[in-house]
C-alpha cells in the first residue's frame, strides 16, 4: 500500500509539473490541444492524490503499524471514527490532506468555471499545480506519510486524547479547507495578471470561491474556539496564541477583500488593492501553516518541528517575489476607472472598513512576530500577550462594528444630507435604546457598553433594510409579509445574505463583550464542603463537592469529581468533570492525563467546572469553577454567519436553463443588476 | 477640498491611530522573554531586574516537581542546560505539565531576591504532545 501511495505521489508530482510547465510556457495560446493538457493535468493530479489518500486510510484502518504514521497516531483500541480522523492528526497526513483537497478544488474549478473564462483556465491550472507540487515535494523530501519503520510495533501510540473530541475531528479539516480554498482566488488573480485580462471577469469567475473559503475559515476558526473551550480547560475560547492568530490573519484580509471587491465591480476602483489583498490572503494562509509547523514562535499548540518549516519559508519567499514582480509589471494596466466622490459614500465606508481590517491584521501579525523582531533588533526577546492584542484590537474592532452599521446606510458615490437623515434615525435610536437600557440595569463596563450599543445600532440597520424591502414588496406585489421576506432574500441573495452575515458578526461581538463579566474561583473541597459564586446576573450559585469516583472506560482510566449545584438555594443537578488517563490495548499509559471539563450551557451563561486533581488520592478535590456569560452566543453567531454566507453563494435564481449553466450565470446576474440599481445617486441601501 | 484628499486625511488618522495603539501597546504590555542564563546574567548586572515581571522559557528538571494539592502550590526547578533555578507557583497547571520527560514550560512572574522565581502563570508545552518519539524511520 505504501508503495502504491508513494508511486501516486510521484505521479501527481509529474502531472502537476507538466501542467504548470505548459501553462507558463505560454505556447498553448496558439495550440488549443496544449491548453487542453494543461487543464486536464489537474484531473490527473487529483486522481493520483485520491489514490494516495486512499492508501493512507487503508493503512490506518488495517492497523499496519509498520507505517510510522499509523503507529504514531492510532492504536488498536482507538474508536473507528478517530482512526478516520487520524489522517490529519499529524503533520505528514495533514500535508497529504492539504494536497489532495487542493487537487480536488483545482480539478473542480476547471469543470465548473464558464467557458467564457477559457483564456484564464490554463493559468489557473498552472498556479494550482505549482501549489500542489510544493506540498508533494515537501512530503517526498521532508515528511513522507508512507514512511515505514525498521520494525513493526505490536500496537500504535494512539491518538492524543485532546484530539479525541468530535470538534477536533472536524476543526482541522475545516480550517484547512479555508486555507486551501484561498489558493483558487489567488490562482485567478495571478491568471488575470498573466493573461492581461484585467476586467472584472476573473472576479466574477471566482466570487463564490472567495465566499466559500471565507466560510470555511470562519467555521474552522470558531470550531477551534469551541475545541479550546471544551478541551483545554482554561475557561476561555480565545487566547491570542500564535496558532490562533495565524488562522485569523487570512480571515481578516479575506473579509477586507469581500468588501473592497464590490467597489471594483461597481466603480472600477481599487484594482491593485484587491489583487494585493488576494495575494496577501494566500501568503498568510501559507504563513499560518509555516508558523504552526516550524515552531519558530513559542505556542502552547506545539506541533512537530523539523525541516518542513524551511520548505514553507522558501515557498513563501518565492511566491512573494513572483507575485509582487507580476503585480509590478501589470501596475500601469490596473488604473482605476473612477475617483472617490465624497466621504459620505458607500465607497468611503468600505475603504475605512478595509483600513481597519488590514490594521487589525497588521497589529496581530506584528504582535505575533514581535518576539522574533525584537530579538533581531535588540538582541532580547520581548513578547506581547492578550493585554496587547485586546488593547489594540478592541477599539479597532468596535470601529469596524460601527462601520458594519454605517456602510449599508450610505449611498454609493455621494449621499445627500436628506438621505443620511432618513437612513440613520432608526438604527441610531435602536443603539441609544440599548445603551440606556444597559445603563439602567447597572452595566458600567465602558467597552462592553460600547460593543452592545453598536451591536444594537447594526441590528437597527439590518432590521431597517429588511423592513423597507419587505414593505416595498408587500405594497408593489401584494405579497404576504412572510412571502415578501422569502422573496426579498431569494431575489437578492448577495445583499440580504450579507446582512445576515452582519447579524452573525454582531452576535460574536455581543458574546465577546460578555466575557468582561466572567467570574472564576479556585477551591479545594472535602466531600460536603461547598463554594459560592455570585453570577454576573446577581444569582448566587452554591457548589457542593460530592466526591471522587474512579473507573475504567473504553480506552481510558477515569477519575471523576462531581459537584451538586444550587442556584439561589434551588437544586439544579450535578455537574461532573473528569481526569482521564488514556491506555493502549496492553493497559500501558499513553500520553499525560487529560481533563474533561464539566460545562452547563444556556443562553445567559455557562457553568464551567474543571477538576484539577485530588489531594493525595483522597476524596478531597481541587476545582476551578467559572461562570462565563453569553458564551453560547459565539456558537450561535457562527450559525447565523454560515446561514448568511450560504444564502449569499447559493446557486440559481430566476435564470432559465440547464442546472449547471444556471449556477454559473447566476453569478453574473446578481452583480450586474445590483450595479444597475446601485449606480442611481439616491439608491441608498440598494445594492449589496 | 477634494473627496480623495479628505479620504487620505481620514486614512492617515486611522493608520496613525493603529500605529500609536501598537506602539504604546508594545511599550506598556511587552515583557521580556528570557532563558534562565539570560535572566541570571541580567539580574547580576542589574539587581533591579528582580522587580521586573518577565517570562522565562525553559525545561522542567525531571523529578523536581513537588505538588501540594491542598494549597495548590507547585514547586519545581527549571533549566536551560547551563543555568537552573527553583520556581514556585500557586494555582492550577495545565495537564501537559509533568516532570516526566524534559517538558518545556513558559513561566511568567518575578525572579525574587530570594533566588526563587515566583510565577503568576505557568504554560506547559510538550514536544511529545502531538508527535511521539519513535525510532528513526526508513523510507517506504
Amino acid at each position: 500500500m505504501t508503495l502504491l501511495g508513494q508511486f501516486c505521489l510521484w505521479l501527481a508530482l509529474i502531472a502537476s509539473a507538466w501542467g504548470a510547465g505548459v501553462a507558463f510556457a505560454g505556447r498553448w495560446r496558439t495550440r488549443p490541444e496544449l491548453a487542453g493538457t494543461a487543464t486536464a493535468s489537474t484531473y490527473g493530479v487529483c486522481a493520483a492524490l485520491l489514490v494516495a489518500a486512499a492508501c493512507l486510510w487503508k493503512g490506518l484502518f488495517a492497523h499496519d503499524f509498520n507505517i510510522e504514521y499509523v503507529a504514531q497516531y492510532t492504536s488498536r483500541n482507538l474508536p473507528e471514527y478517530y482512526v478516520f480522523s487520524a489522517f490529519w492528526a499529524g503533520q505528514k497526513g495533514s500535508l497529504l490532506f492539504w494536497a489532495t483537497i487542493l487537487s480536488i478544488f483545482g480539478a473542480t474549478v476547471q469543470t465548473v468555471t464558464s467557458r467564457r473564462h477559457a483564456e484564464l483556465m490554463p493559468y489557473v491550472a498552472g498556479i494550482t499545480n505549482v501549489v500542489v507540487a510544493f506540498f508533494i515535494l515537501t512530503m517526498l523530501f521532508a515528511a513522507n506519510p508512507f514512511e515505514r519503520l525498521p520494525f513493526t510495533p505490536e500496537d500504535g501510540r494512539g491518538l492524543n486524547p485532546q484530539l479525541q473530541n468530535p470538534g477536533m475531528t472536524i476543526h482541522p479539516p475545516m480550517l484547512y479547507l479555508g486555507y486551501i480554498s484561498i489558493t483558487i482566488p489567488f490562482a485567478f488573480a495571478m491568471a488575470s495578471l498573466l493573461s492581461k485580462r484585467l476586467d472584472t471577469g476573473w472576479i466574477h469567475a471566482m466570487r463564490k470561491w472567495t465566499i466559500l473559503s471565507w466560510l470555511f475559515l470562519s467555521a474552522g476558526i470558531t470550531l477551534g474556539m469551541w475545541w479550546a473551550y471544551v478541551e483545554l480547560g482554561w475557561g476561555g475560547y480565545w487566547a491570542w496564541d500564535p496558532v490562533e492568530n495565524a488562522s485569523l490573519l487570512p480571515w481578516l484580509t479575506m473579509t477586507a477583500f469581500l468588501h473592497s471587491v464590490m467597489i471594483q465591480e461597481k466603480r472600477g476602483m481599487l484594482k491593485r488593492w484587491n489583487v494585493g489583498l488576494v495575494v496577501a490572503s494566500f501568503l498568510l494562509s501559507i504563513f499560518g501553516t509555516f508558523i504552526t509547523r516550524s515552531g519558530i514562535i513559542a505556542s502552547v499548540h506545539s506541533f512537530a518541528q523539523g525541516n518542513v518549516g524551511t520548505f514553507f519559508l522558501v515557498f513563501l519567499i518565492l511566491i512573494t517575489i513572483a507575485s509582487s514582480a507580476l503585480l509590478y509589471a501589470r501596475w500601469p494596466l490596473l488604473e482605476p476607472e473612477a475617483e472617490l466622490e465624497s466621504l459620505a459614500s458607500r465607497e468611503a465606508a468600505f475603504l475605512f472598513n478595509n483600513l481597519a481590517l488590514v490594521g487589525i491584521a497588521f497589529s496581530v501579525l506584528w504582535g505575533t512576530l514581535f518576539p522574533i523582531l525584537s530579538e533581531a533588533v535588540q538582541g532580547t526577546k520581548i513578547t506581547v500577550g492578550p493585554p496587547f492584542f485586546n488593547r489594540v484590537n478592541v477599539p479597532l474592532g468596535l470601529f469596524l462594528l460601527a462601520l458594519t452599521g454605517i456602510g449599508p446606510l450610505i449611498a454609493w458615490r455621494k449621499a445627500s444630507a436628506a438621505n443620511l437623515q432618513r437612513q440613520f434615525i432608526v438604527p441610531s435610536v435602536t443603539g441609544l435604546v440599548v445603551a440606556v437600557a444597559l445603563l439602567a440595569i447597572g452595566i458600567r463596563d465602558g467597552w462592553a457598553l460600547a460593543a452592545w450599543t453598536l451591536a444594537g445600532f447594526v441590528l437597527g440597520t439590518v432590521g431597517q433594510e429588511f423592513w423597507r424591502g419587505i414593505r416595498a414588496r408587500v405594497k408593489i406585489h401584494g405579497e404576504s409579509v412572510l412571502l415578501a421576506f422569502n422573496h426579498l432574500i431569494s431575489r437578492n441573495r448577495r445583499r440580504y445574505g450579507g446582512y445576515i452575515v452582519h447579524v452573525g458578526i454582531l452576535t460574536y461581538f455581543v458574546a465577546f463583550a460578555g466575557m468582561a463579566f466572567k467570574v472564576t474561583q479556585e477551591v479545594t473541597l472535602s466531600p460536603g464542603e461547598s463554594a459560592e459564586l455570585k453570577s454576573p446576573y446577581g444569582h448566587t450559585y452554591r457548589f457542593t463537592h460530592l466526591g471522587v469516583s474512579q473507573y475504567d472506560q473504553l480506552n481510558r482510566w477515569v477519575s471523576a469529581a462531581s459537584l451538586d449545584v444550587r442556584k439561589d438555594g434551588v437544586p439544579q443537578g450535578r455537574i461532573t468533570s473528569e481526569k482521564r488517563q488514556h491506555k493502549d490495548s496492553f493497559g500501558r499509559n499513553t500520553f499525560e492525563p487529560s481533563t474533561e471539563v464539566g460545562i452547563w450551557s444556556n443562553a445567559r451563561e455557562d457553568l464551567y467546572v474543571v477538576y484539577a486533581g485530588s489531594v493525595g488520592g483522597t476524596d478531597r478535590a481541587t476545582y476551578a469553577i467559572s461562570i462565563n456569560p453569553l458564551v453560547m452566543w459565539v456558537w450561535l453567531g457562527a450559525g447565523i454567519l454560515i446561514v448568511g454566507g450560504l444564502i449569499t453563494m447559493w446557486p440559481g435564481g430566476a435564470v432559465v436553463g440547464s442546472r449547471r449553466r444556471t449556477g454559473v450565470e447566476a453569478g453574473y446576474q446578481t452583480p450586474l443588476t445590483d450595479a444597475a440599481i446601485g449606480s442611481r445617486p439616491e439608491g441608498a441601501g440598494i445594492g449589496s | 477640498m477634494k473627496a480623495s484628499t479628505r479620504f487620505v486625511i481620514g486614512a492617515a488618522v486611522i493608520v496613525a491611530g493603529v500605529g500609536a495603539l501598537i506602539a504604546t501597546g508594545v511599550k506598556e504590555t511587552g515583557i521580556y522573554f528570557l532563558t534562565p542564563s539570560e535572566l541570571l546574567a541580567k539580574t547580576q548586572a542589574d539587581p533591579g531586574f528582580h522587580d521586573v515581571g518577565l517570562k522565562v522559557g525553559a525545561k522542567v528538571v525531571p523529578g523536581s516537581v513537588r505538588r501540594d494539592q491542598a494549597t495548590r502550590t507547585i514547586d519545581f526547578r527549571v533549566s536551560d542546560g547551563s543555568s537552573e533555578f527553583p520556581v514556585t507557583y500557586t494555582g492550577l497547571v495545565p495537564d501537559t505539565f509533568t516532570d516526566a520527560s524534559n517538558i518545556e514550560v513558559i513561566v511568567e512572574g518575578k525572579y525574587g531576591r530570594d533566588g526563587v522565581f515566583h510565577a503568576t502563570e505557568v504554560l506547559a508545552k510538550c514536544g511529545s504532545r502531538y508527535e511521539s518519539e519513535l525510532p528513526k524511520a526508513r523510507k517506504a
Side-chain angles (χ1 to χ4, degrees), chain A residues 355-378:
Chain A
L355 276 176
L357 282 164
V358 173
I360 293 176
F362 180 77
S363 71
V364 172
L365 185 64
W366 185 263
T368 308
L369 291 180
F370 199 72
I372 300 176
L373 297 174
S374 65
E375 191 170 29
V377 176
Q378 298 185 330

Side-chain angles (χ1 to χ4, degrees), chain A residues 462-606:
Chain A
V462 175
Q464 174 174 275
E465 287 293 304
F466 269 98
W467 169 241
R468 287 196 179 150
I470 290 169
R471 202 180 47 184
R473 288 201 74 91
V474 170
K475 232 181 238 172
I476 298 166
H477 302 285
E479 293 168 342
S480 72
V481 172
L482 209 63
L483 191 66
F485 176 76
N486 197 357
H487 278 165
L488 190 69
I489 294 176
S490 62
R491 301 280 152 83
N492 219 332
R493 294 201 173 94
R494 204 174 161 189
R495 176 173 163 196
Y496 290 96
Y499 289 151
I500 295 173
V501 172
H502 283 180
V503 175
I505 294 289
L506 79 86
T507 310
Y508 276 92
F509 273 90
V510 167
F512 294 161
M515 279 306 238
F517 302 94
K518 170 183 173 151
V519 286
T520 187
Q521 198 182 355
E522 285 173 17
V523 284
T524 303
L525 303 171
S526 294
E529 286 181 343
S530 56
E532 264 186 18
L533 246 78
K534 207 164 166 65
S535 94
Y537 299 95
H539 298 287
T540 305
Y541 281 97
R542 190 174 184 82
F543 300 89
T544 310
H545 180 41
L546 295 172
V548 178
S549 52
Q550 294 170 345
Y551 49 91
D552 278 306
Q553 187 186 47
L554 215 64
N555 57 352
R556 56 189 175 250
W557 173 85
V558 177
S559 165
S562 300
L563 291 166
D564 171 76
V565 184
R566 279 164 197 267
K567 180 181 177 184
D568 298 328
V570 183
Q572 305 288 308
R574 169 188 299 195
I575 191 164
T576 302
S577 167
E578 300 174 355
K579 278 264 180 251
R580 295 176 172 180
Q581 175 64 61
H582 281 71
K583 311 254 186 201
D584 64 12
S585 48
F586 300 99
R588 293 176 304 210
N589 289 354
T590 56
F591 303 97
E592 296 83 21
S594 60
T595 306
E596 200 65 15
V597 184
I599 301 175
W600 277 2
S601 206
N602 67 36
R604 293 155 65 91
E605 65 205 355
D606 280 16

